[in-house]
Amino acid sequence: MSGQEHLPAPAEQQCDQEWLPGGGVSPSAISQGFATSKGPMKPTMQDYFVAVSDALAALWSLSPPKWRATRGPAFAHHGGAPFCLTAVFDGHGSGDHAARSAQESVLGAVAGDATMLDCFARNMEQPGISPEALGGLQAAFRRSFRSLDDRICQEGAERGLPHDGTTALVSVQVGPKLYTANAGDCRAVICRDGRALRLSRDHKPELPEERARIEAAGGRVANVRGTWRVVLPLPDGNTAKVCSVSRGFGDRDFKAGSLISSEPDVAGIVLAPGRDTFCIHASDGLWGAVGDQEACDLVSEVIDKFIGMTSFNTQHAAAAKAAAQELVKFARDRGSMDDITVIVTLYDWGM
């Protein structure tokens, strides 16, 4: 494959800055529902997830004692503000160790980083998200992802798992602000005014900047059976390993040559009261078969059915669960053979 070949652009765009309103109003309540489905041809489920709509207590108990004593009061002052952690890990390769380990470690990784907690605390006092604040969180998330990746690779070496990896999508909502860190092709999409807006970027090898990084490290990107993949030549010169994502945790054989990176993209938005109705976090088992807007339209249809019920105010969690289940069913009906994980987060603005 020549370096001049045209590579397709992503089909849908990320959330542009013009769509990021200011303001400091938090949702009055957050409800989450999830659904999962193992790929019919897969021997084991390799997707793992975390959905904690009230994560403050868990994060507080895992945070450094010194930080709780000196900086913790900033959180206590905003005790009524939502603090939500959502994560999806899509494992691949020789097992589920990388994805499972990431799931088990993510709460501690966020809570144990005093610098990250300081960034959250400072941002709670600001009406928007300044470039300086976002820069601090980008550095903190990247450090946290690197630390998790080092641990997973070390564990993989001890277990003899050279090609065990996972993508990683982690979102933390603090009050009205939603921060997303992504390495791989799980995706977060928010529905604003009925329109799907992507909050993360899929890290695929065919992206020009990803391909340039991989080739600069001595690797190749090739289309193998219709899918663009990172190619790792093996020492015999005749065979190679391939991977369909360019960022994530684990995959220590690819990491040895710096072909796959653990560095996440980090973004932050301020939620728009009454306009942001829900957010979808899902693995590529969904997104490979269902478009962003299609997914938002389907969730909206499910929510509309629940709104017609007199008890809707007590049924937000049930609506979120039903919406996630419908998305999984829709992806299966579309022919998805991959593991699928979907988390739907509904925002109640009390209006």
Side-chain angles (χ1 to χ4, degrees):
M1 168 171 127
S2 74
Q4 301 302 313
E5 281 188 350
H6 175 71
L7 296 177
E12 303 189 49
Q13 297 300 312
Q14 291 178 261
C15 183
D16 296 323
Q17 287 296 321
E18 66 187 73
W19 286 94
L20 310 185
V25 180
S26 299
S28 58
I30 294 173
S31 299
Q32 290 188 299
F34 64 85
T36 64
S37 175
K38 183 179 74 67
M41 304 301 291
K42 297 263 186 122
T44 59
M45 179 67 162
Q46 291 181 294
D47 278 5
Y48 286 79
F49 72 95
V50 177
V52 187
S53 57
D54 184 8
L56 183 56
L59 289 171
W60 186 270
S61 65
L62 294 169
S63 63
K66 182 178 179 181
W67 182 88
R68 288 201 299 271
T70 58
R71 296 289 297 165
F75 277 103
H77 178 64
H78 294 271
F83 201 109
C84 177
L85 189 144
T86 308
V88 180
F89 305 102
D90 181 358
H92 56 260
S94 55
D96 68 348
H97 166 261
R100 180 166 41 83
S101 182
Q103 178 208 43
E104 294 169 351
S105 305
V106 66
L107 269 171
V110 172
D113 192 319
T115 302
M116 184 181 295
L117 295 177
D118 279 344
C119 288
F120 290 147
R122 286 196 299 270
N123 286 348
M124 292 174 86
E125 304 291 345
Q126 301 172 355
I129 302 174
S130 68
E132 294 77 15
L134 185 57
L137 276 170
Q138 286 173 336
F141 269 116
R142 287 168 183 170
R143 181 176 58 251
S144 181
F145 270 47
R146 185 166 56 249
S147 177
L148 268 176
D149 181 48
D150 288 344
R151 183 200 304 179
I152 289 170
C153 285
Q154 178 60 38
E155 292 172 352
E158 294 170 356
R159 295 168 180 240
L161 301 172
H163 187 32
D164 176 78
T166 182
T167 62
L169 171 66
V170 180
S171 288
V172 180
Q173 181 185 340
V174 185
K177 298 166 187 177
L178 178 63
Y179 308 100
T180 300
N182 181 59
D185 59 1
C186 290
R187 187 184 305 164
V189 173
I190 197 164
C191 183
R192 175 168 292 170
D193 297 328
R195 176 182 173 184
L197 296 173
R198 193 175 295 188
L199 303 181
S200 61
R201 179 176 64 136
D202 297 353
H203 293 123
K204 295 289 193 179
E206 65 267 27
L207 290 177
E209 59 269 40
E210 293 296 281
R211 181 178 181 180
R213 177 183 59 78
I214 293 164
E215 292 179 341
R220 292 192 301 114
V221 174
N223 192 307
V224 181
R225 295 190 297 276
T227 301
W228 293 96
R229 301 179 187 273
V230 183
V231 179
L232 173 68
L234 295 179
D236 62 15
N238 297 316
T239 57
K241 289 185 176 181
V242 296
C243 187
S244 61
V245 292
S246 55
R247 299 197 196 187
F249 298 152
D251 292 309
R252 63 186 182 88
D253 46 358
F254 286 83
K255 291 283 172 57
S258 300
L259 303 186
I260 292 179
S261 170
S262 65
E263 182 172 295
D265 287 334
V266 180
I269 67 167
V270 180
L271 295 177
R275 296 172 57 199
D276 290 335
T277 50
F278 58 84
C279 188
I280 304 168
H281 292 76
S283 61
D284 74 325
L286 174 74
W287 303 119
V290 181
D292 295 9
Q293 190 62 51
E294 286 182 311
C296 285
D297 290 345
L298 181 56
V299 172
S300 295
E301 289 176 11
V302 174
I303 294 173
D304 286 345
K305 293 178 183 177
F306 274 81
I307 288 176
M309 303 177 183
T310 57
S311 60
F312 177 66
N313 288 339
T314 62
Q315 294 294 318
H316 287 114
K321 177 76 172 179
Q325 291 172 331
E326 284 298 310
L327 284 175
V328 169
K329 181 179 182 301
F330 189 37
R332 284 282 180 250
D333 290 345
R334 279 283 183 85
S336 175
M337 300 296 286
D338 202 355
D339 297 336
I340 305 174
T341 294
V342 178
I343 304 169
V344 175
T345 304
L346 299 186
Y347 303 119
D348 180 4
W349 294 102
M351 297 176 177

